[in-house]
Amino acid sequence: MQVETSDITPAMQVLKLATASWMASAVSAAAELGVADHLGSGARTVRELAEAVGAHEQTLYRLLRACADAGLFQESPGRTFALTEVGDALRSDSPHSLRNFARWVALPADRHTWDGLAKTVRTGQPAFVDVHGVEVWEHFRDNPEVAEIFDNAMSELSRQVIAPTVAAYDFSGFRRIVDVGGGHGTLLAQVLTAVPTARGVLFDQPEVIEGAGAPLEGAGVRDRAELVAGDFFQAVPADGDAYVLSNIIHDWDDEPSRQILTNIRNVMAPDARVLLIEAVLPDDTSPSLTVKLMDLDMLVISGGHQRSGAQFDALFQKVGLKLSRIVSGGLCSVVEATRA
């Protein structure tokens, strides 16, 4: 909610924070309707947009003017709207697109789960099962249309958030890179593009691997990548000299995380590296609001959490690994571990 004053009282500040979900819903609605796609070629009137997206004209105007005040669109006289640089990231074909991520956070699988946050804080148990009746991964299996939006959202996030991390870390010394839980292959495609001498293994659940590989094809590296289906709680492909897990460990509490890392420790080459790409919490009280909100999202969805460097170090020590360094790449970092 936009407050038109620089002197915000405590009550108005709380009001602004408490109504942040209203703005989030507006952004998600604009993403679901595909408004930005229809503004990609230039400004259009609300009437033209309403016809294009199949919306009620006056109601669409009310949505767009709120989004304009948030910086997504620019409103001109005559109820005409154009994309801003920020709004361009809602276009499906934008290289900066987060449209599917904006759609994902509006789905009941994510948004309704947050309704259970207070109960989760009281009990320590994730809200997802209480709200939806099943665990999140079972929900995805039973609702493939939700899983598809989630997978596309994670691929988008990988392109925008993980790319700077890949650029920050030197992968050039690796010959066989195993992307554990790698989804459609967005991250592996970036890494193999950066390291022309390396080969890769994309490893994920059978239902994910079945629809994976397009990013590898698009990057022209499919011939250097092997797609393998399996369950990382049972085993992972052997003989990698780099095991990359991008935003995987944060899905799980310590016990299942140790199982995943133990399976990697059992088959990795002696001089191999485990590379966790994660948003790392500070070890002190430094502000880190985005990461701390991500931590709450993990809490209510799966019971997982973001970790600090010290927490990663403790986790590694339990499975015969040791933290060697943390390489910052923006929001996410590469948390590197070796055999202890």
Side-chain angles (χ1 to χ4, degrees):
M1 179 175 180
Q2 189 175 36
V3 179
E4 302 295 342
T5 177
S6 58
D7 299 320
I8 303 178
T9 66
M12 288 301 99
Q13 182 66 15
V14 170
L15 180 63
K16 183 178 180 180
L17 292 171
T19 58
S21 63
W22 298 357
M23 189 67 249
S25 294
V27 174
S28 295
E32 182 63 32
L33 290 167
V35 172
D37 287 350
H38 293 282
L39 291 175
S41 58
R44 303 183 72 173
T45 66
V46 170
R47 177 166 295 181
E48 292 171 331
L49 287 170
E51 292 176 355
V53 305
H56 181 264
E57 181 181 338
Q58 177 59 19
T59 307
L60 179 62
Y61 174 68
R62 294 167 68 178
L63 171 66
L64 296 184
R65 69 184 179 186
C67 289
D69 279 2
L72 292 175
F73 310 119
Q74 183 176 21
E75 182 179 6
S76 300
R79 292 190 172 188
T80 299
F81 289 86
L83 279 180
T84 63
E85 184 178 3
V86 175
D88 186 72
L90 286 182
R91 278 177 40 225
S92 299
D93 58 352
S94 168
H96 311 293
S97 181
L98 283 179
R99 183 193 174 198
N100 282 293
F101 189 86
R103 295 174 68 203
W104 155 248
V105 297
L107 295 180
D110 189 64
R111 186 156 291 165
H112 288 185
T113 304
W114 275 80
D115 294 341
L117 177 59
K119 184 174 181 180
T120 289
V121 172
R122 290 189 180 101
T123 65
Q125 299 302 310
F128 197 95
V129 174
D130 191 53
V131 174
H132 301 284
V134 295
E135 292 187 352
V136 61
W137 313 114
E138 185 178 348
H139 182 80
F140 285 161
R141 285 193 295 269
D142 294 341
N143 298 273
E145 70 287 354
V146 174
E148 181 180 9
I149 292 176
F150 175 78
D151 288 340
N152 289 336
M154 294 305 102
S155 293
E156 288 177 347
L157 198 60
S158 291
R159 284 193 293 271
Q160 305 309 321
V161 176
I162 304 303
T165 312
V166 172
Y169 185 89
D170 183 9
F171 288 86
S172 62
F174 301 121
R175 57 173 181 79
R176 178 175 162 85
I177 300 167
V178 182
D179 188 356
V180 178
H184 291 171
T186 301
L187 170 62
L188 186 60
Q190 294 181 28
V191 174
L192 293 182
T193 299
V195 188
T197 57
R199 301 191 66 83
V201 179
L202 181 65
F203 180 73
D204 213 312
Q205 295 284 338
E207 59 269 24
V208 177
I209 289 297
E210 184 178 353
L216 298 165
E217 294 280 0
V221 297
R222 179 64 182 85
D223 60 327
R224 291 191 282 126
E226 178 185 2
L227 273 60
V228 178
D231 180 352
F232 51 47
F233 286 115
Q234 301 300 319
V236 299
D239 300 323
D241 56 358
Y243 285 85
V244 183
L245 296 89
S246 177
N247 290 312
I248 297 297
I249 293 300
H250 77 165
D251 287 336
W252 309 97
D253 204 352
D254 283 356
E255 184 175 347
S257 294
R258 286 195 294 267
Q259 183 61 58
I260 297 168
L261 293 172
T262 296
N263 289 339
I264 294 172
R265 171 66 172 76
N266 289 341
V267 299
M268 63 190 283
D271 58 349
R273 299 289 188 271
V274 176
L275 308 174
L276 308 184
I277 300 180
E278 296 273 356
V280 180
L281 285 165
D283 283 312
D284 55 22
T285 59
S286 300
S288 185
L289 180 58
T290 299
V291 183
K292 291 170 183 177
L293 288 175
M294 290 172 64
D295 178 59
L296 290 179
D297 194 45
M298 293 302 101
L299 172 64
V300 296
I301 294 251
S302 66
H305 52 90
Q306 305 302 132
R307 293 173 173 86
S308 67
Q311 288 173 316
F312 278 118
D313 191 22
L315 181 64
F316 290 145
Q317 290 182 37
K318 296 288 187 179
V319 298
L321 297 170
K322 62 180 179 180
L323 176 67
S324 52
R325 57 176 174 154
I326 297 177
V327 179
S328 177
L331 176 62
C332 289
S333 300
V334 179
V335 182
E336 182 189 77
T338 61
R339 284 177 177 265

